[in-house]
């Protein structure tokens, strides 16, 4: 839909019964000449590859010598497959029986084969002859008993050799390349990306499974046709049979011929739009029906049958048609009455009841489907057994309704446009047409004649037109019917014939008539036995060990047992080794759902098997309820379009309740999506509803409480007041959809609120561009927490980020939690958005925090600075707040925060598995220390580590901080703060230099003697960590060297270094160091300590004197320890700075 840029995927599925009949038809055409094929106009669409279909077929005769593995390979090349569960058409199964002979043990293989054109599976016994693999066909048991031979056709019409499929894939790739270049040249970047993603996904599925969803769009490549060539259709199978002498009979030609002519144009119009917008390759235009001229070029002779022939048939025949006015039953056309619509409902009820007394039936024809439903309800309320009949019903439901009318289970059938051609209902003596004067397609001359004709099978046939006036179509229908009736009556009188009604033909469908031939077997008894070789074993079901599942985002490259997955609702993502999403699903209980994939006895489709082979991890998001999971899954599938989901349904959506407030007779009804544009103001929408049962429950509840449909129907067609109906509708709208949240539990408004709860998260304007931030903690009483950021963007979770924090001061107050959030967002999260790319912006319009932040102003400035680098034109306001306790946003805020807290808590619990007494397990068990020693080239793992940071407000009241970790755990008693004294203005480098010089001056006893004892708070650490990059590192080294403490890895010569960062240059003068080196006034002292810097954006580790970072990964245990140090140092510096700033302005 170009106006709204909405793609609506075609809904299609293979009906097993129709497919069986299709295979029986093509097999009959290829094997016989006395064949009658009944087809719809869809026969002009492509039907596989006829030549390849015939060439791939094979014959088996009793006594034939075969190579068993070669036979199985041939069946698989004909697209037969082993069953996953029950035996179905297109399946084969192989088992073996060991039998004792007089001399040797012999093996008989039982091949159960179910060709799609057979009504039951066939049993073929194949006896092994020798060890060289040769076997002999021993017996064949078919549907008619034992037979000497069978001819097996492929399981599908689209059968081709592997090399042909490979050539098709290459051809598709070439067309894709050309089309993408063409779109890029036209400046259609989005269309090019969309097309590339779709086609590459289809190519992947073709390569791995041999088929893909929507594969018919590549039919030109599969068949090797040139652009514009017509597809192979049913008529091409007639040509293969060698019998060109066939007759086409077109029934109801006045409808069929226009359909044949219009199908090509309609198909091309739809697909040209898809090609234009990058949803399909141009070759999809050749997946089409035959053009009008192409179809008739293959027809040599035809007979047209119609009660109301069109101009096309009359022009082609070039002669007067043969009229069949006299029926074999001599029944005449019905009498037509025209009656005014006033009191038409009462009049119709009277007429229907009079027919019922005579055991006759009635057809009533309304103008819309809603009218048909309402009229049927109206009749039932007034004692008439009735039901409706329209295109909204399934084929089975329509057949059941017609049978009910025939059998007398109902007395009146109310329809719209389907009570016309092809219905033989001699029980019907009355046809009543409402709104007969509404000139248009449904009340045209042809439509009226066909509808009136349904009463022409009964001797008492009558038609009633309810109308205010007689239209031209009505008059022509009346005149033609009267003329035919007069001729029929004259013929009967002259020849002495008496009319009589028949019992009517069977209303059973062709599927019912042939049920004994095409019914599917639910199960098939297979004789079990032992296989003689590995290749003959049943296909093993692919399984994954259930002991562990890698969970991305929950543990840092670790594995957890499936038992640790939560038994809560959510959405799960199967991913490959690169993190690409392969499959998205939802679950009420994530643990059991994921384990069902990994169960050794699980039976999966080929598509899921391939997915599991590629999957290396599973990720998940918890949702507040399964309704949220359903809606989020739908939105995520549209966004990610994972290759192994069943269909890429861009239009798959959950329905809304629509209130048509702008209509003359407003009503409540379900719609698949909200309408946009100029007419949107005429409607109000409530939802979406993930479960159809729930939307129906609400609509039923409205009808039970207010009876709107019946009153609307009475107002439109009867004497009820329209104003009173509008008032009743407004009352229902106010009481059900606008009631306060405090309504009684169990009431209709309360139920509706529960049913629509997913709307609060994934269909709310409040969450269109919002980050929700929460803190999660494990079950222990440690000092560790996880800050979790959820990016909500237009119904999606666009991103989620988790940051581990260790808080030595404890987590007992909101102030500490607020400081954690502020530190993470200001120093880590939003600065990382400088390099972000994607469909949605990394930066939100609003941040919803679990706890109030100490300084929202500073965070906003950080966000603006980072945002300016990637979105320089964006100037919109940034709002930072906590959930409100009242007002229209209360529910939305509460739902979003619940969502964030649940996921934050889950991440914290998972990460707690790797912690000991509040510290990372790898930090205290020696893992991180050993890795850190190797990374920094230290002689031994560091035991005492110090980290330094600077905090200030635009250079004012600057404070430096030192935090200390001993053996991987925070040592709060060693924390120190440094009020900056010598630096004025913004100069982090000079501030760091001052802090490090002041700190390491205290390494020496009294500032001048030897090194202090190890138990002193100022003893030499094993490692110094600086929060920053190479520039901050250089400044720290300069401050240390000023008091005789030098980087351990550079004890020989501290070379002159020029380090550039953020356009500021830090020059460290050349200083000779060593055992005897010293400053001019302190010649007898020097010391060394290891030092590094940790940069925040990319989590890069720098050593002094080295140009680039020394680490490859930001997620190792060593980096986890360094991040904990850095984050704690920043938190402590920020806390100290705020206390100093508060004191400086006289606040307590």
């Amino acid at each position: 839909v170009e106006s709204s840029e909405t793609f609506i995927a075609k809904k299609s599925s293979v009906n097993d019964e129709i497919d069986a009949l299709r295979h029986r038809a093509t097999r009959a055409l290829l094997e016989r000449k006395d064949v009658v094929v009944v087809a719809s106009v869809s026969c002009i669409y492509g039907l596989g590859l006829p030549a390849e279909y015939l060439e791939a077929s094979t014959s088996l005769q009793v006594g034939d010598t075969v190579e068993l593995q070669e036979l199985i390979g041939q069946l698989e090349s004909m697209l037969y497959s082993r069953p996953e569960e029950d035996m179905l058409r297109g399946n084969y199964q192989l088992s073996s029986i060991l039998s004792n002979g007089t001399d040797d043990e012999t093996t008989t293989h039982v091949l159960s084969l179910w060709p799609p054109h057979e009504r039951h599976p066939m049993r073929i016994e194949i006896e092994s002859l020798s060890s060289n693999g040769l076997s002999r066909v021993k017996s064949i048991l078919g549907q008619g008993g034992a037979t000497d031979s069978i001819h097996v056709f492929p399981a599908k019409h689209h059968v081709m050799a592997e090399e042909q499929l490979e050539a098709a894939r290459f051809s598709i790739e070439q067309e894709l390349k050309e089309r993408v270049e063409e779109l890029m040249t036209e400046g259609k970047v989005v269309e090019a990306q969309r097309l590339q993603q779709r086609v590459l996904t289809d190519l992947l599925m073709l390569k791995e499974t041999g088929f893909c969803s929507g594969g018919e769009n590549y039919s030109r490549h599969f068949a090797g046709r040139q652009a514009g060539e017509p597809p192979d259709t049913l008529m091409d199978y007639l040509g293969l049979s060698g019998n060109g002498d066939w007759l086409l009979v077109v029934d109801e030609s006045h409808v069929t011929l226009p359909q044949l002519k219009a199908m090509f144009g309609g198909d091309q119009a739809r697909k040209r739009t898809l090609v234009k917008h990058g949803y399909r390759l141009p070759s999809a235009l050749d997946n089409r029906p035959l053009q009008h001229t192409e179809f008739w070029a293959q027809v040599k002779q035809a007979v047209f049958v119609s009660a109301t022939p069109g101009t096309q048939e009359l022009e082609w025949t070039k002669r007067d048609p043969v009229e069949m006015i006299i029926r074999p039953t001599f029944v005449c056309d019905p009498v037509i009455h025209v009656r005014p619509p006033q009191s038409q409902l009462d009049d119709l009820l009277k007429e229907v009841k009079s027919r019922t007394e005579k055991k006759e039936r009635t057809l009533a024809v309304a103008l819309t489907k809603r009218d048909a439903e309402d009229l049927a309800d109206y009749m039932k309320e007034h004692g008439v057994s009735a039901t409706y009949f329209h295109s909204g019903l399934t084929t089975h439901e329509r057949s059941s309704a017609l049978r009910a009318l025939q059998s007398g289970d109902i007395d009146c059938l109310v329809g719209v446009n389907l009570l016309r051609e092809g219905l033989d209902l001699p029980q019907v003596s009355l046809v009543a047409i409402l709104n007969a004067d509404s000139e248009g397609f449904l009340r045209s001359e042809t439509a009226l004649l066909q509808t009136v004709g349904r009463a022409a099978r009964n001797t008492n046939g009558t038609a009633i037109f309810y109308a205010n006036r007689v239209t031209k179509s009505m008059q022509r229908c009346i005149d033609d019917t009267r003329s035919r009736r007069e001729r029929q009556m004259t013929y009967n009188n002259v020849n002495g014939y008496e009319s009589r009604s028949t019992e009517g033909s069977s209303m059973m469908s062709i599927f019912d008539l042939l049920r004994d031939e095409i019914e599917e077997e639910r199960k098939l008894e297979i004789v079990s036995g032992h296989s003689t070789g590995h290749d003959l074993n049943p296909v093993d079901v692919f399984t994954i060990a259930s002991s562990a599942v890698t969970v991305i985002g929950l543990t840092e490259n670790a594995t957890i047992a499936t038992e640790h997955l939560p038994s809560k609702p959510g959405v799960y993502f199967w991913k490959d080794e690169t993190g690409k999403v392969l499959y998205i699903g939802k679950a009420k209980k994530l643990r059991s759902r994921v384990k069902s994939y990994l169960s050794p006895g699980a039976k999966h489709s080929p598509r899921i098997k391939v997915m599991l082979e590629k999957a290396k991890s599973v990720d998940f998001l918890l949702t507040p309820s399964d309704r949220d999971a359903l809606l989020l899954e739908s939105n995520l599938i549209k966004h990610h379009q994972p290759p192994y989901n069943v269909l890429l349904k861009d239009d798959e959506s959950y329905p809304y309740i629509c209130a048509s407030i702008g209509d003359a007779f407003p009503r409540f009804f379900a719609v698949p999506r909200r309408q946009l544009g100029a007419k949107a103001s005429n409607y109000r929408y409530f939802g979406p509803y993930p479960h159809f049962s729930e939307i129906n429950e609400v609509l039923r509840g409205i009808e039970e409480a207010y009876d709107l449909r019946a009153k609307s129907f009475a107002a439109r067609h009867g004497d009820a007041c329209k104003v009173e109906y509008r008032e009743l509708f407004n009352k229902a709208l106010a009481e059900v959809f606008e009631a306060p949240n405090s309504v009684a539990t169990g009431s209709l408004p309360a139920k509706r609120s529960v049913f629509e709860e997913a709307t609060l998260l994934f269909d709310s304007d409040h969450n269109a561009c919002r980050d929700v931030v929460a803190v999660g903690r494990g079950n222990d009483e440690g000092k560790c927490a996880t800050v979790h950021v959820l990016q909500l963007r237009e119904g999606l979770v666009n991103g989620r980020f988790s940051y581990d924090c260790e808080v030595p001061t404890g987590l007992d107050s909101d102030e500490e939690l607020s400081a954690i959030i502020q530190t993470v967002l200001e120093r880590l999260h939003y600065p990382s958005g400088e390099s972000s790319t994607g469909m949605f912006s990394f930066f939100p319009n609003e941040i919803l925090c679990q706890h109030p932040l100490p300084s929202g102003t500073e965070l906003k400035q950080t966000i603006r600075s980072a945002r300016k680098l990637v979105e320089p034109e964006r100037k919109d306001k940034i709002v930072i707040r906590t959930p409100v306790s009242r007002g229209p946003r209360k529910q939305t805020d509460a739902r979003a925060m619940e969502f964030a807290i649940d996921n934050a808590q889950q991440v914290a619990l998972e990460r707690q598995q790797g912690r000991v007494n509040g510290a990372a397990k790898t930090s205290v068990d020696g893992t991180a220390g050993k890795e850190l020693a190797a990374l920094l080239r230290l002689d031994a793992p560091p035991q005492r580590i110090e980290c330094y940071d600077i905090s200030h407000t635009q250079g004012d009241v600057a404070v430096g901080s030192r935090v200390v970790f001993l053996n991987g755990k925070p040592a709060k008693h060693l924390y120190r703060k440094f009020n900056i004294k010598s630096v004025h203005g913004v100069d982090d480098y000079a501030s760091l230099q001052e802090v490090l010089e002041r700190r390491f001056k205290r390494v020496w006893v009294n500032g001048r003697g030897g090194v202090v004892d190890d138990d002193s708070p100022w003893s030499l650490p094993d490692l110094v960590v600086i929060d920053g990059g190479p520039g901050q590192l250089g400044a720290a080294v300069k401050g240390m060297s000023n008091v005789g403490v030098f980087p351990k890895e550079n004890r020989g010569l501290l070379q002159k270094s020029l380090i550039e960062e953020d356009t500021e240059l830090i020059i460290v003068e050349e200083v000779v160091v060593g055992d005897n080196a010293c400053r001019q006034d302190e010649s007898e002292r020097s010391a060394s300590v290891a030092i590094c810097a940790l940069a925040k954006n990319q989590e890069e580790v720098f050593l002094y004197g080295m140009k680039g970072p020394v680490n490859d990964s930001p997620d190792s245990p060593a980096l986890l320890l360094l991040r904990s140090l850095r984050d704690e140092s920043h938190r402590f510096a920020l806390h100290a700075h705020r206390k100093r700033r508060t004191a400086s302005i006289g606040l307590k």
Side-chain angles (χ1 to χ4, degrees), residues 587-638:
K588 287 186 177 181
K589 295 183 178 180
L590 284 166
R591 181 190 302 170
S592 59
R593 183 67 184 113
V594 171
K595 291 181 71 173
S596 71
Y597 284 91
L598 311 177
S599 172
K603 295 181 180 294
H604 299 302
S605 66
R607 171 179 51 84
I608 297 299
K609 285 183 180 179
V610 173
M611 184 276 290
L612 290 174
E613 290 174 356
K614 287 181 169 291
K616 302 300 180 184
S617 63
V618 61
D619 197 358
F620 61 85
L621 262 174
L622 298 179
T623 56
S625 72
D626 62 306
R627 296 183 184 89
D628 298 279
L630 285 166
L631 191 58
L632 180 58
E633 178 208 32
S634 174
N635 294 345
L636 288 171
I637 288 176
K638 295 177 199 174

Side-chain angles (χ1 to χ4, degrees), residues 668-687:
F668 299 105
F669 56 98
V671 294
R673 58 185 61 82
R674 289 182 291 192
Q675 181 173 335
L676 304 176
K679 295 183 179 180
S681 60
N682 292 332
Y683 305 96
R684 288 185 61 186
Y685 299 93
F686 306 93

Side-chain angles (χ1 to χ4, degrees), residues 1051-1095:
R1051 286 183 61 88
L1053 176 66
L1054 188 59
Q1055 298 178 343
K1056 183 176 181 180
S1057 301
L1058 184 64
I1059 305 174
E1060 181 177 354
E1061 181 173 281
D1062 297 334
T1063 72
E1064 295 189 38
L1065 301 181
I1066 301 300
I1067 299 177
V1068 181
E1069 299 296 338
E1070 186 173 14
V1071 181
V1072 179
V1073 299
D1075 292 338
N1076 299 317
C1078 62
R1079 295 180 64 182
Q1080 295 177 357
D1081 58 344
E1082 299 168 354
S1083 58
E1084 296 301 325
R1085 72 177 190 198
S1086 71
S1088 62
V1089 65
I1091 186 170
C1092 69
L1094 178 62

Side-chain angles (χ1 to χ4, degrees), residues 876-893:
D876 48 323
K877 182 181 178 182
I878 302 170
V879 177
I880 303 174
R881 62 182 183 85
T882 56
V884 298
S885 58
R886 63 177 63 89
R889 289 195 172 198
K890 176 182 176 181
Q891 286 185 300
T892 304
D893 285 0

Side-chain angles (χ1 to χ4, degrees), residues 819-1117:
I820 288 175
I821 296 175
Q822 178 93 25
T823 300
V824 166
L825 298 183
E826 188 175 305
R827 296 295 298 269
L828 299 177
H829 182 67
Y830 289 111
S832 68
E834 296 174 0
S835 58
S836 65
T837 58
M839 179 181 298
F840 301 106
S841 172
F842 183 87
F843 303 100
N845 294 333
E846 180 178 274
I847 303 172
L848 187 69
C849 294
Q850 184 180 3
H851 300 281
L853 299 186
S855 178
T857 302
E858 293 181 11
L859 179 57
K860 291 179 183 179
Q861 184 58 43
T862 299
I863 296 174
R864 292 190 187 98
S865 299
R867 187 178 68 182
K868 187 175 182 181
L869 297 176
V870 291
E871 301 176 58
E873 303 300 323
R874 189 172 170 187
K875 307 293 183 182
D876 48 323
K877 182 181 178 182
I878 302 170
V879 177
I880 303 174
R881 62 182 183 85
T882 56
V884 298
S885 58
R886 63 177 63 89
R889 289 195 172 198
K890 176 182 176 181
Q891 286 185 300
T892 304
D893 285 0
R895 194 76 172 178
M897 187 53 62
E898 178 187 1
F899 183 38
I901 290 175
D902 284 349
N903 282 279
Q905 191 67 18
Q906 180 64 33
V907 173
L909 288 172
E910 294 293 340
R911 289 182 172 173
Q912 180 189 320
Q913 307 302 320
R915 298 187 183 279
V916 176
N917 296 326
K921 183 178 179 180
T922 54
S923 297
V924 297
D925 67 3
T927 303
K930 292 176 183 178
E931 186 176 294
L932 198 56
L935 179 67
L936 303 181
R937 307 171 189 175
L938 305 180
D939 297 333
Q943 304 300 312
R944 173 171 171 150
I945 308 176
E946 297 181 359
C947 186
Y948 293 85
D949 190 20
I950 303 295
S951 180
H952 56 80
T953 302
Q954 300 299 314
D956 295 333
V957 290
V959 175
S961 69
R962 180 192 80 168
V963 298
V964 182
F965 276 29
L966 296 178
N967 297 316
K969 293 188 290 185
K972 179 184 176 183
H973 65 285
L974 296 176
Y975 286 18
R976 297 292 185 271
K977 68 175 181 178
F978 300 83
N979 293 334
I980 305 302
K981 300 177 180 179
S982 62
V983 180
H984 302 284
V986 181
D987 193 340
D988 288 352
Y989 294 159
S991 297
L992 270 173
Q993 181 178 334
E994 177 186 328
V995 169
L996 270 293
E997 184 172 346
R998 288 167 58 186
R999 182 266 177 268
F1000 282 99
K1001 185 175 182 179
R1002 305 188 74 168
V1003 166
W1004 313 109
V1005 176
N1006 296 323
R1008 292 181 176 275
V1011 177
V1012 299
D1013 295 337
D1014 289 343
D1015 58 357
S1016 169
W1018 303 103
S1019 62
L1020 275 173
D1022 299 313
L1023 175 64
V1024 172
V1025 180
I1026 303 300
D1027 181 4
Q1032 286 87 349
L1033 180 60
V1037 169
K1038 186 173 183 179
M1040 295 164 54
S1041 65
N1042 286 341
V1043 291
V1045 181
F1046 304 97
K1048 180 173 288 187
E1049 62 274 18
N1050 294 300
R1051 286 183 61 88
L1053 176 66
L1054 188 59
Q1055 298 178 343
K1056 183 176 181 180
S1057 301
L1058 184 64
I1059 305 174
E1060 181 177 354
E1061 181 173 281
D1062 297 334
T1063 72
E1064 295 189 38
L1065 301 181
I1066 301 300
I1067 299 177
V1068 181
E1069 299 296 338
E1070 186 173 14
V1071 181
V1072 179
V1073 299
D1075 292 338
N1076 299 317
C1078 62
R1079 295 180 64 182
Q1080 295 177 357
D1081 58 344
E1082 299 168 354
S1083 58
E1084 296 301 325
R1085 72 177 190 198
S1086 71
S1088 62
V1089 65
I1091 186 170
C1092 69
L1094 178 62
K1096 59 185 177 183
N1097 283 353
Q1098 302 300 323
E1099 305 291 6
E1100 295 173 327
V1101 179
F1102 294 92
L1103 291 178
Y1104 185 75
M1106 299 186 67
K1107 294 182 178 180
V1110 296
N1111 63 313
D1112 295 326
S1113 169
D1115 297 320
S1116 65

